[in-house]
Amino acid sequence: MYDMIIKGGTVVTAADTVVQDIAISNGKIVALGADLGEATQLIEASGKIITPGGIDSHCHIEQKSSSGLMTADDFYSASRSAAFGGTTTIIPFAAQHKGQSLYDVFDDYHRRATEKSVIDYAYHLIIADPTEAVMGEQLEAMIERGITSFKIYMTYESLKLDDYQILEVLFRARELQSLVMIHAENNDVIRWLTDKLLALGHSQPKYHAISHARIAESEATHRAISLAELLDTPLLIVHVSSAEATAEIRRAQERGLKIYGETCPQYLFLTAEDLDRDGMDGAMFCCSPPPRDQAAQDVIWRGLCNGTFEVFSSDHSPYRFDSSGKLAAGDNPSFDKIANGVPGLEIRLPMLYSAGVGTGRMSLNQFVAVTATNAAKMYGIYPQKGTIAVGSDADIVIWDSQRKVTLSTEMLHDEAGYTPYSGTQVTGWPELVLSRGRTVIANNELQVERGSGAYVHCGLSAYAIPSGKAVSELTPASNFGAKILGANNE
Ligand code: DUC
Ligand code: ZN
Ligand code: ZN
Protein backbone atom coordinates (compact mmCIF):
# COMPACT_ATOMS: atom_id res chain seq x y z
CA MET A 1 0.00 0.00 0.00
CA TYR A 2 1.49 3.32 -1.12
CA ASP A 3 0.98 6.59 0.73
CA MET A 4 -0.37 8.30 -2.36
CA ILE A 5 -1.13 7.63 -6.02
CA ILE A 6 -1.62 10.47 -8.49
CA LYS A 7 -3.67 8.97 -11.26
CA GLY A 8 -3.86 9.65 -14.97
CA GLY A 9 -1.94 12.90 -15.24
CA THR A 10 0.38 13.95 -18.06
CA VAL A 11 3.76 13.72 -16.40
CA VAL A 12 6.29 16.12 -17.88
CA THR A 13 10.03 15.99 -17.27
CA ALA A 14 12.84 17.75 -19.11
CA ALA A 15 13.03 14.67 -21.35
CA ASP A 16 9.55 13.15 -21.66
CA THR A 17 5.82 13.73 -21.63
CA VAL A 18 3.99 10.56 -20.55
CA VAL A 19 0.48 9.87 -19.30
CA GLN A 20 1.09 7.71 -16.26
CA ASP A 21 0.37 7.26 -12.57
CA ILE A 22 2.80 8.26 -9.83
CA ALA A 23 3.10 6.28 -6.60
CA ILE A 24 4.59 7.96 -3.54
CA SER A 25 5.72 6.51 -0.23
CA ASN A 26 7.80 8.07 2.55
CA GLY A 27 8.23 11.27 0.57
CA LYS A 28 9.76 9.57 -2.48
CA ILE A 29 8.46 8.60 -5.88
CA VAL A 30 8.46 4.82 -5.74
CA ALA A 31 6.69 3.77 -8.94
CA LEU A 32 5.57 5.19 -12.28
CA GLY A 33 3.25 3.50 -14.76
CA ALA A 34 -0.25 2.08 -15.00
CA ASP A 35 -2.26 0.03 -12.49
CA LEU A 36 0.19 0.63 -9.67
CA GLY A 37 -2.08 -0.75 -6.95
CA GLU A 38 -3.52 0.67 -3.75
CA ALA A 39 -2.74 3.83 -1.84
CA THR A 40 -3.97 5.57 1.28
CA GLN A 41 -4.64 8.72 -0.75
CA LEU A 42 -5.73 8.83 -4.37
CA ILE A 43 -5.49 11.99 -6.43
CA GLU A 44 -7.33 12.05 -9.73
CA ALA A 45 -5.30 14.04 -12.27
CA SER A 46 -6.67 12.93 -15.65
CA GLY A 47 -6.15 15.66 -18.23
CA LYS A 48 -3.86 17.63 -15.92
CA ILE A 49 -0.27 18.63 -16.51
CA ILE A 50 2.16 17.44 -13.82
CA THR A 51 5.67 18.87 -13.53
CA PRO A 52 8.50 18.58 -11.01
CA GLY A 53 8.34 21.27 -8.33
CA GLY A 54 10.27 24.34 -9.38
CA ILE A 55 13.75 25.09 -8.10
CA ASP A 56 14.47 28.77 -7.63
CA SER A 57 18.21 28.92 -7.62
CA HIS A 58 18.64 32.67 -7.28
CA CYS A 59 16.77 34.42 -4.50
CA HIS A 60 17.71 36.73 -1.63
CA ILE A 61 15.91 35.76 1.53
CA GLU A 62 16.33 37.21 5.02
CA GLN A 63 19.52 38.71 3.68
CA LYS A 64 21.01 41.92 4.98
CA SER A 65 22.38 44.14 2.23
CA SER A 66 25.81 45.68 2.59
CA SER A 67 24.12 48.93 3.66
CA GLY A 68 22.31 47.09 6.45
CA LEU A 69 18.85 46.76 4.86
CA MET A 70 17.00 43.52 5.54
CA THR A 71 14.90 41.99 2.77
CA ALA A 72 11.15 42.20 3.35
CA ASP A 73 10.79 38.43 3.29
CA ASP A 74 12.09 36.04 5.89
CA PHE A 75 12.36 32.32 5.23
CA TYR A 76 8.73 31.79 6.21
CA SER A 77 7.08 34.35 3.94
CA ALA A 78 9.49 33.71 1.05
CA SER A 79 9.11 29.94 1.14
CA ARG A 80 5.32 30.24 1.48
CA SER A 81 5.20 32.55 -1.51
CA ALA A 82 7.47 30.25 -3.51
CA ALA A 83 5.24 27.26 -2.71
CA PHE A 84 2.07 29.03 -3.87
CA GLY A 85 3.83 29.60 -7.19
CA GLY A 86 4.86 25.96 -7.60
CA THR A 87 8.44 26.16 -6.34
CA THR A 88 9.43 23.41 -3.93
CA THR A 89 13.14 24.08 -3.49
CA ILE A 90 14.86 27.41 -2.96
CA ILE A 91 18.58 28.08 -3.16
CA PRO A 92 19.08 31.54 -1.65
CA PHE A 93 22.39 33.09 -0.69
CA ALA A 94 24.25 32.84 2.56
CA ALA A 95 25.95 36.21 2.24
CA GLN A 96 29.36 36.94 3.70
CA HIS A 97 30.05 40.54 4.68
CA LYS A 98 33.60 41.80 4.98
CA GLY A 99 35.38 40.44 8.04
CA GLN A 100 32.90 37.58 8.59
CA SER A 101 33.98 33.97 8.86
CA LEU A 102 32.11 31.53 6.66
CA TYR A 103 31.22 29.47 9.73
CA ASP A 104 29.23 32.40 11.13
CA VAL A 105 27.61 33.03 7.77
CA PHE A 106 26.49 29.42 7.49
CA ASP A 107 25.20 29.29 11.07
CA ASP A 108 23.18 32.51 10.67
CA TYR A 109 21.38 31.46 7.51
CA HIS A 110 20.93 27.89 8.62
CA ARG A 111 19.23 28.99 11.81
CA ARG A 112 16.90 31.33 9.91
CA ALA A 113 15.94 28.75 7.31
CA THR A 114 15.59 25.78 9.65
CA GLU A 115 13.14 27.60 11.90
CA LYS A 116 10.98 28.99 9.11
CA SER A 117 11.12 27.44 5.65
CA VAL A 118 8.04 25.49 4.56
CA ILE A 119 9.82 23.99 1.55
CA ASP A 120 13.27 22.50 1.05
CA TYR A 121 16.29 24.77 0.83
CA ALA A 122 20.00 24.82 0.08
CA TYR A 123 22.40 27.76 -0.13
CA HIS A 124 24.96 29.39 -2.33
CA LEU A 125 27.67 31.37 -0.65
CA ILE A 126 28.37 35.02 -1.45
CA ILE A 127 32.10 35.60 -1.10
CA ALA A 128 32.77 39.28 -0.36
CA ASP A 129 36.05 38.90 1.51
CA PRO A 130 38.29 36.21 -0.02
CA THR A 131 40.97 36.18 2.66
CA GLU A 132 43.45 33.34 2.93
CA ALA A 133 41.48 31.76 5.76
CA VAL A 134 38.22 32.02 3.81
CA MET A 135 39.69 30.61 0.61
CA GLY A 136 41.47 27.82 2.42
CA GLU A 137 39.97 25.59 5.02
CA GLN A 138 36.72 27.59 5.45
CA LEU A 139 35.65 27.06 1.86
CA GLU A 140 36.35 23.33 2.11
CA ALA A 141 34.29 23.22 5.30
CA MET A 142 31.37 24.85 3.46
CA ILE A 143 31.51 22.17 0.78
CA GLU A 144 31.34 19.53 3.49
CA ARG A 145 28.28 21.34 4.82
CA GLY A 146 26.67 21.18 1.37
CA ILE A 147 27.41 24.57 -0.22
CA THR A 148 29.11 23.96 -3.54
CA SER A 149 28.42 27.18 -5.45
CA PHE A 150 29.81 30.64 -4.79
CA LYS A 151 28.56 34.00 -6.03
CA ILE A 152 30.98 36.84 -6.56
CA TYR A 153 30.42 40.43 -7.64
CA MET A 154 32.16 42.79 -10.04
CA THR A 155 30.14 45.74 -8.72
CA TYR A 156 28.69 47.13 -5.43
CA GLU A 157 31.38 48.88 -3.41
CA SER A 158 31.38 46.51 -0.45
CA LEU A 159 31.01 43.30 -2.42
CA LYS A 160 33.06 43.74 -5.56
CA LEU A 161 36.20 41.76 -6.21
CA ASP A 162 38.94 42.96 -8.52
CA ASP A 163 40.19 40.81 -11.38
CA TYR A 164 43.03 39.43 -9.27
CA GLN A 165 40.60 38.30 -6.59
CA ILE A 166 38.24 36.87 -9.20
CA LEU A 167 41.11 34.79 -10.55
CA GLU A 168 41.85 33.57 -7.02
CA VAL A 169 38.22 32.49 -6.55
CA LEU A 170 38.05 30.81 -9.97
CA PHE A 171 41.34 29.04 -9.32
CA ARG A 172 40.16 27.74 -5.96
CA ALA A 173 36.74 26.77 -7.32
CA ARG A 174 38.50 24.78 -10.02
CA GLU A 175 40.43 22.85 -7.39
CA LEU A 176 37.28 22.22 -5.40
CA GLN A 177 35.09 21.52 -8.46
CA SER A 178 32.63 24.13 -7.29
CA LEU A 179 30.60 26.42 -9.47
CA VAL A 180 31.26 30.16 -9.53
CA MET A 181 28.32 32.47 -10.24
CA ILE A 182 29.18 36.02 -11.16
CA HIS A 183 27.35 39.34 -11.10
CA ALA A 184 28.89 40.93 -14.18
CA GLU A 185 28.69 44.72 -14.31
CA ASN A 186 31.60 47.15 -14.59
CA ASN A 187 31.65 49.05 -11.31
CA ASP A 188 33.64 52.05 -12.54
CA VAL A 189 31.41 52.58 -15.57
CA ILE A 190 28.37 52.65 -13.29
CA ARG A 191 30.10 54.89 -10.76
CA TRP A 192 31.31 57.35 -13.41
CA LEU A 193 27.91 57.56 -15.12
CA THR A 194 26.20 57.96 -11.75
CA ASP A 195 28.45 60.87 -10.78
CA LYS A 196 27.91 62.60 -14.11
CA LEU A 197 24.12 62.09 -14.06
CA LEU A 198 23.82 63.37 -10.49
CA ALA A 199 26.01 66.38 -11.30
CA LEU A 200 23.54 67.23 -14.05
CA GLY A 201 20.66 66.94 -11.58
CA HIS A 202 19.35 63.67 -12.99
CA SER A 203 18.38 61.81 -9.86
CA GLN A 204 15.04 60.13 -10.68
CA PRO A 205 14.70 56.31 -10.71
CA LYS A 206 14.83 56.11 -14.51
CA TYR A 207 18.50 57.15 -14.40
CA HIS A 208 19.28 53.92 -12.59
CA ALA A 209 18.85 52.13 -15.92
CA ILE A 210 21.02 54.69 -17.71
CA SER A 211 23.81 54.45 -15.12
CA HIS A 212 23.80 50.64 -15.36
CA ALA A 213 24.53 50.87 -19.08
CA ARG A 214 24.34 47.79 -21.30
CA ILE A 215 28.03 48.16 -22.02
CA ALA A 216 28.79 47.98 -18.29
CA GLU A 217 27.17 44.55 -18.36
CA SER A 218 28.65 43.27 -21.61
CA GLU A 219 32.19 44.47 -20.84
CA ALA A 220 32.12 42.78 -17.44
CA THR A 221 30.60 39.64 -18.96
CA HIS A 222 33.35 39.52 -21.56
CA ARG A 223 36.02 40.08 -18.91
CA ALA A 224 34.60 37.44 -16.59
CA ILE A 225 34.48 34.95 -19.45
CA SER A 226 38.10 35.76 -20.33
CA LEU A 227 39.24 35.16 -16.75
CA ALA A 228 37.37 31.85 -16.68
CA GLU A 229 38.91 30.87 -20.00
CA LEU A 230 42.38 31.69 -18.72
CA LEU A 231 41.93 29.15 -15.96
CA ASP A 232 39.78 26.69 -17.92
CA THR A 233 37.09 27.06 -15.26
CA PRO A 234 33.32 26.79 -15.72
CA LEU A 235 31.40 29.98 -14.89
CA LEU A 236 27.74 30.98 -14.62
CA ILE A 237 26.82 34.54 -15.58
CA VAL A 238 23.74 35.33 -13.50
CA HIS A 239 20.73 37.59 -14.17
CA VAL A 240 21.57 38.47 -17.77
CA SER A 241 19.52 41.39 -19.08
CA SER A 242 20.94 42.62 -22.38
CA ALA A 243 21.38 41.45 -25.95
CA GLU A 244 25.08 42.32 -25.79
CA ALA A 245 25.80 40.19 -22.71
CA THR A 246 23.75 37.35 -24.21
CA ALA A 247 25.90 37.53 -27.35
CA GLU A 248 29.09 37.30 -25.25
CA ILE A 249 27.80 34.16 -23.55
CA ARG A 250 26.63 32.59 -26.79
CA ARG A 251 29.95 33.30 -28.46
CA ALA A 252 31.85 31.70 -25.57
CA GLN A 253 29.60 28.64 -25.72
CA GLU A 254 30.12 28.35 -29.47
CA ARG A 255 33.85 28.37 -28.81
CA GLY A 256 33.39 25.36 -26.55
CA LEU A 257 33.84 27.15 -23.22
CA LYS A 258 31.87 26.03 -20.18
CA ILE A 259 30.12 29.33 -19.78
CA TYR A 260 26.53 29.23 -18.62
CA GLY A 261 23.82 31.85 -18.42
CA GLU A 262 20.90 32.61 -16.16
CA THR A 263 18.04 35.02 -16.76
CA CYS A 264 15.00 36.15 -14.79
CA PRO A 265 11.36 37.27 -15.24
CA GLN A 266 12.21 40.98 -15.03
CA TYR A 267 14.21 40.71 -18.26
CA LEU A 268 11.32 39.06 -20.11
CA PHE A 269 8.48 41.17 -18.77
CA LEU A 270 9.79 44.62 -17.76
CA THR A 271 11.60 47.40 -19.60
CA ALA A 272 13.53 50.51 -18.57
CA GLU A 273 10.34 52.48 -19.23
CA ASP A 274 8.89 50.95 -16.08
CA LEU A 275 11.49 52.91 -14.11
CA ASP A 276 10.05 56.11 -15.59
CA ARG A 277 6.74 55.99 -13.76
CA ASP A 278 5.25 58.91 -11.86
CA GLY A 279 7.10 60.28 -8.86
CA MET A 280 9.15 57.66 -7.10
CA ASP A 281 7.08 54.71 -8.40
CA GLY A 282 9.89 53.77 -10.75
CA ALA A 283 11.90 52.77 -7.65
CA MET A 284 9.82 49.60 -7.47
CA PHE A 285 11.45 48.45 -10.71
CA CYS A 286 15.07 49.33 -9.83
CA CYS A 287 17.14 46.20 -9.98
CA SER A 288 20.61 45.41 -11.27
CA PRO A 289 21.19 44.85 -14.05
CA PRO A 290 18.10 46.85 -14.99
CA PRO A 291 15.39 45.81 -17.43
CA ARG A 292 16.24 47.07 -20.95
CA ASP A 293 13.88 47.36 -23.94
CA GLN A 294 11.57 45.28 -26.11
CA ALA A 295 14.42 44.27 -28.43
CA ALA A 296 16.43 42.99 -25.46
CA GLN A 297 13.40 41.07 -24.19
CA ASP A 298 13.19 39.33 -27.58
CA VAL A 299 16.86 38.33 -27.38
CA ILE A 300 16.45 37.08 -23.80
CA TRP A 301 13.44 34.99 -24.85
CA ARG A 302 15.44 33.53 -27.71
CA GLY A 303 18.35 32.73 -25.38
CA LEU A 304 16.03 30.98 -22.98
CA CYS A 305 14.53 28.88 -25.76
CA ASN A 306 17.79 28.04 -27.54
CA GLY A 307 19.79 26.98 -24.48
CA THR A 308 22.05 30.02 -24.09
CA PHE A 309 20.41 30.36 -20.69
CA GLU A 310 20.45 27.20 -18.68
CA VAL A 311 18.42 28.45 -15.75
CA PHE A 312 15.48 30.78 -15.19
CA SER A 313 15.51 32.15 -11.65
CA SER A 314 13.64 34.95 -9.91
CA ASP A 315 16.48 36.95 -8.31
CA HIS A 316 13.74 37.62 -5.75
CA SER A 317 15.06 40.57 -3.79
CA PRO A 318 12.11 42.10 -1.96
CA TYR A 319 12.23 45.60 -0.50
CA ARG A 320 9.03 47.34 0.52
CA PHE A 321 8.15 50.63 -1.12
CA ASP A 322 8.57 52.51 2.16
CA SER A 323 11.20 53.67 4.63
CA SER A 324 12.09 50.07 5.55
CA GLY A 325 13.12 49.32 1.97
CA LYS A 326 13.17 51.22 -1.30
CA LEU A 327 12.79 54.58 0.44
CA ALA A 328 15.18 53.93 3.34
CA ALA A 329 17.33 56.87 2.23
CA GLY A 330 14.35 59.28 2.36
CA ASP A 331 11.10 59.96 0.52
CA ASN A 332 12.82 61.17 -2.60
CA PRO A 333 16.19 59.41 -2.83
CA SER A 334 18.47 59.75 -5.82
CA PHE A 335 18.51 56.62 -7.98
CA ASP A 336 21.84 55.41 -6.59
CA LYS A 337 20.36 55.28 -3.05
CA ILE A 338 17.41 53.03 -3.94
CA ALA A 339 17.69 49.42 -2.74
CA ASN A 340 18.12 47.16 -5.76
CA GLY A 341 15.78 44.30 -6.42
CA VAL A 342 12.30 43.14 -7.37
CA PRO A 343 10.13 40.36 -5.93
CA GLY A 344 9.44 37.36 -8.16
CA LEU A 345 9.49 34.03 -6.30
CA GLU A 346 5.79 33.34 -6.73
CA ILE A 347 5.22 34.53 -10.28
CA ARG A 348 8.32 32.89 -11.82
CA LEU A 349 6.70 29.63 -12.86
CA PRO A 350 3.20 30.86 -13.75
CA MET A 351 4.48 33.77 -15.85
CA LEU A 352 6.83 31.55 -17.83
CA TYR A 353 4.20 28.84 -18.14
CA SER A 354 1.73 31.33 -19.53
CA ALA A 355 3.96 33.46 -21.75
CA GLY A 356 6.35 30.67 -22.72
CA VAL A 357 4.43 27.39 -22.93
CA GLY A 358 0.99 28.96 -23.40
CA THR A 359 2.11 30.90 -26.47
CA GLY A 360 4.06 27.99 -27.97
CA ARG A 361 7.37 29.78 -27.52
CA MET A 362 8.79 26.89 -25.54
CA SER A 363 7.82 23.29 -24.98
CA LEU A 364 6.68 21.99 -21.62
CA ASN A 365 9.90 19.98 -21.47
CA GLN A 366 11.97 23.12 -21.96
CA PHE A 367 9.91 24.81 -19.28
CA VAL A 368 10.73 22.01 -16.84
CA ALA A 369 14.41 22.09 -17.81
CA VAL A 370 14.94 25.81 -17.18
CA THR A 371 12.77 26.06 -14.06
CA ALA A 372 13.86 22.88 -12.28
CA THR A 373 15.98 20.16 -13.86
CA ASN A 374 18.94 22.22 -15.03
CA ALA A 375 19.23 23.96 -11.66
CA ALA A 376 19.19 20.59 -9.90
CA LYS A 377 22.07 19.39 -12.08
CA MET A 378 23.90 22.67 -11.86
CA TYR A 379 23.84 22.73 -8.07
CA GLY A 380 24.41 19.05 -7.36
CA ILE A 381 20.96 18.00 -6.15
CA TYR A 382 19.87 15.92 -9.14
CA PRO A 383 18.07 13.46 -9.29
CA GLN A 384 16.91 13.93 -5.71
CA LYS A 385 15.34 17.16 -6.96
CA GLY A 386 14.30 18.51 -10.35
CA THR A 387 12.63 15.53 -11.97
CA ILE A 388 9.86 12.97 -11.66
CA ALA A 389 11.60 9.62 -11.47
CA VAL A 390 11.61 6.58 -9.24
CA GLY A 391 13.82 7.43 -6.26
CA SER A 392 13.42 11.19 -6.54
CA ASP A 393 11.79 13.29 -3.84
CA ALA A 394 8.07 13.63 -4.48
CA ASP A 395 8.25 17.35 -5.29
CA ILE A 396 5.36 17.69 -7.68
CA VAL A 397 3.08 20.35 -9.14
CA ILE A 398 -0.32 19.59 -10.62
CA TRP A 399 -1.35 22.47 -12.82
CA ASP A 400 -4.70 24.04 -13.49
CA SER A 401 -3.74 24.97 -17.05
CA GLN A 402 -6.95 26.87 -17.72
CA ARG A 403 -7.02 29.06 -14.65
CA LYS A 404 -6.82 32.75 -15.52
CA VAL A 405 -5.19 34.90 -12.90
CA THR A 406 -4.70 38.65 -12.85
CA LEU A 407 -1.55 39.32 -10.86
CA SER A 408 -1.96 41.65 -7.92
CA THR A 409 -0.21 42.37 -4.65
CA GLU A 410 -3.19 41.04 -2.72
CA MET A 411 -3.16 37.57 -4.29
CA LEU A 412 0.56 37.01 -3.77
CA HIS A 413 2.09 35.75 -0.52
CA ASP A 414 5.38 37.58 -0.13
CA GLU A 415 5.94 40.63 2.05
CA ALA A 416 7.24 43.04 -0.59
CA GLY A 417 3.92 44.89 -0.54
CA TYR A 418 3.86 45.35 -4.31
CA THR A 419 4.36 43.37 -7.49
CA PRO A 420 6.02 44.82 -10.59
CA TYR A 421 3.61 42.73 -12.66
CA SER A 422 0.35 44.08 -11.26
CA GLY A 423 -2.50 43.72 -13.78
CA THR A 424 -0.74 41.12 -15.94
CA GLN A 425 -3.02 38.26 -16.85
CA VAL A 426 -1.61 34.73 -16.84
CA THR A 427 -3.23 31.48 -17.83
CA GLY A 428 -2.25 28.46 -15.76
CA TRP A 429 -1.50 28.24 -12.05
CA PRO A 430 -0.33 25.46 -9.70
CA GLU A 431 -3.33 23.74 -8.18
CA LEU A 432 -1.67 21.16 -5.95
CA VAL A 433 1.93 21.38 -4.74
CA LEU A 434 3.70 18.51 -3.03
CA SER A 435 7.06 18.69 -1.33
CA ARG A 436 8.55 15.32 -0.38
CA GLY A 437 5.06 13.88 -0.68
CA ARG A 438 3.62 16.42 1.78
CA THR A 439 0.71 18.46 0.47
CA VAL A 440 2.05 21.99 0.78
CA ILE A 441 -0.56 23.88 -1.23
CA ALA A 442 -4.12 22.67 -1.82
CA ASN A 443 -7.40 24.58 -2.18
CA ASN A 444 -5.33 27.73 -2.50
CA GLU A 445 -4.10 27.37 1.08
CA LEU A 446 -0.84 26.56 2.77
CA GLN A 447 -1.13 23.16 4.41
CA VAL A 448 2.16 22.83 6.31
CA GLU A 449 3.87 24.37 9.31
CA ARG A 450 6.70 26.83 9.37
CA GLY A 451 10.05 25.06 9.68
CA SER A 452 8.79 21.88 7.99
CA GLY A 453 11.10 22.25 4.99
CA ALA A 454 14.35 20.29 4.97
CA TYR A 455 17.92 21.23 4.23
CA VAL A 456 19.24 19.85 0.96
CA HIS A 457 22.93 19.05 0.93
CA CYS A 458 24.35 20.04 -2.46
CA GLY A 459 26.85 17.70 -4.05
CA LEU A 460 29.38 18.83 -6.61
CA SER A 461 27.92 20.51 -9.66
CA ALA A 462 27.59 18.50 -12.85
CA TYR A 463 28.52 21.76 -14.62
CA ALA A 464 31.67 22.54 -12.64
CA ILE A 465 33.95 20.03 -14.23
CA PRO A 466 36.86 21.72 -16.00
CA SER A 467 37.40 20.62 -19.59
CA GLY A 468 40.05 18.15 -18.49
CA LYS A 469 41.87 18.82 -21.72
CA ALA A 470 45.58 18.17 -21.83
CA VAL A 471 47.64 21.33 -21.77
CA SER A 472 48.62 20.86 -25.39
CA GLU A 473 44.96 21.00 -26.44
CA LEU A 474 44.16 24.27 -24.71
CA THR A 475 44.16 27.68 -26.35
CA PRO A 476 47.30 29.77 -25.73
CA ALA A 477 45.41 31.83 -23.14
CA SER A 478 44.14 28.91 -21.13
CA ASN A 479 47.36 27.01 -21.73
CA PHE A 480 49.09 29.50 -19.47
CA GLY A 481 46.35 29.20 -16.86
CA ALA A 482 46.32 25.45 -17.03
CA LYS A 483 50.09 25.22 -16.68
CA ILE A 484 50.20 27.02 -13.40
CA LEU A 485 47.55 24.65 -12.13
CA GLY A 486 50.20 21.98 -12.18
CA ALA A 487 49.82 18.24 -12.30
CA ASN A 488 46.06 18.26 -12.92
CA ASN A 489 46.57 18.91 -16.56
CA GLU A 490 50.03 17.62 -17.23
N1 DUC B 1 20.69 42.89 -8.01
C1 DUC B 1 21.52 42.08 -7.36
O1 DUC B 1 22.65 41.92 -7.74
N2 DUC B 1 21.12 41.46 -6.27
C2 DUC B 1 19.84 41.62 -5.73
C3 DUC B 1 18.93 42.41 -6.49
C4 DUC B 1 19.44 43.11 -7.64
O2 DUC B 1 18.76 43.87 -8.26
ZN1 ZN C 1 23.62 39.99 -8.59
ZN1 ZN D 1 20.67 38.47 -6.96
Side-chain angles (χ1 to χ4, degrees):
M1 174 82 91
Y2 300 115
D3 292 345
M4 181 188 282
I5 288 180
I6 304 172
K7 220 173 161 33
T10 302
V11 178
V12 184
T13 64
D16 301 304
T17 305
V18 183
V19 175
Q20 59 186 345
D21 303 345
I22 305 171
I24 297 167
S25 278
N26 301 318
K28 299 271 184 198
I29 296 166
V30 290
L32 291 166
D35 304 323
L36 296 178
E38 306 274 298
T40 312
Q41 192 183 355
L42 186 70
I43 297 189
E44 180 51 59
S46 298
K48 302 237 163 108
I49 298 293
I50 301 181
T51 62
I55 299 174
D56 198 331
S57 56
H58 188 149
C59 41
H60 302 268
I61 299 175
E62 218 169 327
Q63 184 183 324
K64 209 178 242 180
S65 74
S66 37
S67 56
L69 266 191
M70 192 51 131
T71 54
D73 280 310
D74 66 9
F75 272 88
Y76 179 66
S77 58
S79 61
R80 174 188 62 188
S81 177
F84 272 100
T87 287
T88 52
T89 304
I90 41 176
I91 316 183
F93 296 93
Q96 183 202 27
H97 291 290
K98 285 215 161 59
Q100 250 190 320
S101 100
L102 299 186
Y103 297 109
D104 290 343
V105 175
F106 181 88
D107 289 348
D108 279 353
Y109 282 88
H110 206 43
R111 185 174 0 90
R112 294 169 195 171
T114 308
E115 284 169 4
K116 298 178 198 136
S117 188
V118 300
I119 55 173
D120 294 354
Y121 50 93
Y123 318 110
H124 316 285
L125 185 71
I126 287 176
I127 302 178
D129 198 7
T131 61
E132 230 171 85
V134 164
M135 299 295 286
E137 151 267 330
Q138 289 189 24
L139 218 42
E140 277 180 66
M142 292 306 112
I143 290 176
E144 273 165 34
R145 284 164 171 72
I147 305 186
T148 58
S149 42
F150 317 134
K151 184 178 178 191
I152 56 175
Y153 287 78
M154 298 170 88
T155 188
Y156 294 127
E157 286 304 327
S158 55
L159 292 170
K160 72 179 163 54
L161 306 188
D162 60 27
D163 292 353
Y164 187 97
Q165 291 172 308
I166 293 172
L167 284 168
E168 287 286 290
V169 172
L170 287 169
F171 184 50
R172 184 68 172 131
R174 189 185 201 277
E175 283 176 346
L176 298 170
Q177 288 202 10
S178 330
L179 187 67
V180 178
M181 315 159 72
I182 196 156
H183 180 130
E185 287 187 288
N186 180 312
N187 192 60
D188 284 333
V189 169
I190 296 166
R191 205 160 57 91
W192 189 87
L193 286 170
T194 300
D195 289 346
K196 293 292 177 255
L197 287 164
L198 292 177
L200 291 167
H202 297 321
S203 65
Q204 299 95 315
K206 70 173 177 182
Y207 292 104
H208 171 78
I210 295 169
S211 67
H212 286 249
R214 289 173 303 173
I215 211 154
E217 185 185 17
S218 58
E219 184 282 328
T221 301
H222 180 87
R223 183 156 38 100
I225 290 170
S226 303
L227 300 178
E229 181 179 7
L230 180 74
L231 296 185
D232 178 33
T233 304
L235 180 65
L236 170 66
I237 317 289
V238 295
H239 48 48
V240 176
S241 72
S242 68
E244 293 81 357
T246 306
E248 293 290 348
I249 294 167
R250 188 76 180 168
R251 198 169 65 90
Q253 291 168 344
E254 277 165 3
R255 291 172 55 232
L257 302 180
K258 291 190 173 174
I259 299 297
Y260 307 106
E262 174 203 71
T263 194
C264 317
Q266 48 272 38
Y267 309 121
L268 295 180
F269 302 113
L270 301 178
T271 69
E273 281 184 25
D274 287 304
L275 280 74
D276 192 16
R277 300 212 180 175
D278 285 351
M280 284 306 292
D281 284 6
M284 289 189 266
F285 302 84
C286 284
C287 59
S288 296
R292 308 292 180 181
D293 57 14
Q294 176 66 53
Q297 285 186 355
D298 294 344
V299 170
I300 298 290
W301 268 113
R302 206 174 311 137
L304 196 57
C305 297
N306 72 14
T308 309
F309 301 116
E310 204 71 15
V311 280
F312 182 69
S313 315
S314 69
D315 197 6
H316 182 78
S317 194
Y319 294 102
R320 296 183 71 82
F321 188 57
D322 61 26
S323 60
S324 71
K326 292 282 185 185
L327 305 181
D331 287 347
N332 205 11
S334 56
F335 66 83
D336 58 318
K337 301 280 186 306
I338 297 169
N340 279 202
V342 290
L345 263 175
E346 191 165 343
I347 54 79
R348 179 182 70 110
L349 261 64
M351 283 189 90
L352 191 67
Y353 188 93
S354 184
V357 178
T359 58
R361 261 189 184 119
M362 60 170 45
S363 70
L364 266 168
N365 310 95
Q366 282 177 306
F367 169 80
V368 169
V370 299
T371 57
T373 315
N374 294 351
K377 292 177 179 171
M378 188 168 268
Y379 300 115
I381 56 175
Y382 184 84
Q384 180 191 349
K385 302 289 185 191
T387 192
I388 296 178
V390 171
S392 296
D393 285 355
D395 296 349
I396 287 172
V397 178
I398 303 181
W399 288 80
D400 179 347
S401 303
Q402 306 309 319
R403 185 171 162 204
K404 290 199 186 315
V405 173
T406 303
L407 300 177
S408 68
T409 311
E410 296 69 37
M411 50 100 30
L412 297 172
H413 300 84
D414 61 45
E415 293 291 340
Y418 76 94
T419 171
Y421 311 104
S422 185
T424 304
Q425 215 190 56
V426 300
T427 304
W429 201 271
E431 175 180 298
L432 187 80
V433 180
L434 305 180
S435 155
R436 278 177 291 110
R438 302 172 308 137
T439 301
V440 176
I441 304 292
N443 307 318
N444 212 17
E445 286 194 359
L446 182 70
Q447 308 284 338
V448 294
E449 294 301 310
R450 61 197 280 134
S452 58
Y455 179 58
V456 187
H457 192 283
C458 292
L460 293 180
S461 167
Y463 289 66
I465 319 281
S467 73
K469 285 179 184 168
V471 168
S472 57
E473 290 175 277
L474 295 168
T475 63
S478 27
N479 200 357
F480 172 73
K483 263 191 179 142
I484 58 165
L485 298 173
N488 270 357
N489 281 285
E490 293 292 337

